[in-house]
Amino acid sequence: MGCAISSLGTKAEFGERSAEEEEDAAAVYPREDQIQMIKDSWKVIRDDIAKVGIIMFVRLFETHPECKDVFFLFRDVEDLERLRSSRELRAHGLRVMSFIEKSVARLDQQDRLEALAVELGKGHYHYNAPPNTSETTYVGAEFVCAVQPILKERWTSELEEAWKTLFQYVTGLMRRGYQEECCRQRHLALSPKNRPEKRNTAL
């Protein structure tokens, strides 16, 4: 895989930006009132994080089955009922919800949230799961759908916008981390000490 940052740099020279760059450029940090809304709603959501995690991914695979290609364990599972009772899916859903919980906890410390999301993006590189715009957008959208019934009358269009703002911001940071790790690995591969030694075949 080529270095994403290098390819973006080439486009920038000609004044072109990809859809992902456009989305990242449009991403903003949640406002103070949005941060408070997110925190208040999370106090209710966290009591059902296991259920939300399962609902989120079952809905994701149901509405966008192509996303299963990113998840090796669930790639060939067609039975949604089997997915709902899957211990592996429950565990993965909890990991994602744990990341969301950590993100919410760091909303008052932007530098810590940035470091968390960038590091997660780097981790995605190592299991070949680039944080593409479509997939991360779908996860955010399914999260919103999964928590609405839990929050009931607390759910508002303003709260929905706040969560979407957070997801968009975090997605951009994850993509940056992925690109940084992509470049780092490429540079390591091209490093002289990692190149095979040339043997002197002269007689």
Side-chain angles (χ1 to χ4, degrees):
M1 180 177 181
C3 178
I5 289 179
S6 298
S7 64
L8 294 180
T10 303
K11 288 183 179 181
E13 292 174 6
F14 295 96
E16 298 178 12
R17 294 207 299 187
S18 67
E20 291 175 348
E21 285 179 289
E22 293 286 355
E23 181 168 315
D24 291 350
V28 295
Y29 200 72
R31 303 186 310 268
E32 285 189 20
D33 61 315
Q34 291 179 319
I35 289 173
Q36 193 57 52
M37 282 190 286
I38 291 170
K39 286 183 173 182
D40 290 342
S41 63
W42 182 255
K43 292 175 184 176
V44 180
I45 296 167
R46 68 185 177 192
D47 292 333
D48 290 296
I49 56 173
K51 183 171 74 173
V52 171
I54 291 173
I55 292 171
M56 184 170 63
F57 278 98
V58 170
R59 282 182 54 90
L60 176 67
F61 296 153
E62 183 177 25
T63 55
H64 302 284
E66 70 276 10
C67 289
K68 283 198 296 183
D69 291 341
V70 178
F71 302 91
F72 177 76
L73 287 173
F74 318 123
R75 190 173 297 168
D76 299 319
V77 179
E78 301 295 338
D79 185 354
L80 293 178
E81 286 304 319
R82 184 178 157 199
L83 274 176
R84 287 188 180 93
S85 59
S86 167
R87 285 181 296 180
E88 291 83 2
L89 185 62
R90 178 186 174 87
H92 184 74
L94 281 171
R95 283 195 295 273
V96 173
M97 296 301 288
S98 175
F99 170 76
I100 295 173
E101 183 170 37
K102 290 174 183 176
S103 297
V104 172
R106 289 162 173 76
L107 277 171
D108 291 325
Q109 300 168 294
Q110 188 173 351
D111 55 338
R112 291 187 65 206
L113 174 56
E114 180 175 333
L116 176 74
V118 168
E119 195 61 32
L120 182 64
K122 290 179 179 179
H124 274 61
Y125 174 87
H126 292 286
Y127 46 86
N128 196 28
N132 295 326
T133 304
S134 58
E135 287 159 13
T136 43
T137 299
Y138 295 155
V139 169
E142 297 306 340
F143 172 85
V144 164
C145 290
V147 300
Q148 282 186 41
I150 294 171
L151 291 168
K152 299 177 182 177
E153 70 278 357
R154 296 183 181 91
W155 188 260
T156 63
S157 58
E158 290 80 12
L159 179 57
E160 180 174 348
E161 185 61 31
W163 275 107
K164 286 181 177 178
T165 298
L166 176 59
F167 271 102
Q168 187 176 21
Y169 181 77
V170 167
T171 295
L173 292 172
M174 287 175 59
R175 191 176 298 119
R176 193 181 88 193
Y178 184 94
Q179 292 168 349
E180 287 177 1
E181 187 63 12
C182 173
C183 280
R184 190 179 80 87
Q185 293 296 328
R186 187 181 184 195
H187 292 154
L188 284 174
L190 295 175
S191 174
K193 67 179 181 180
N194 291 324
R195 294 175 186 167
E197 290 184 18
K198 292 183 179 180
R199 295 183 179 178
N200 188 349
T201 58
L203 294 176

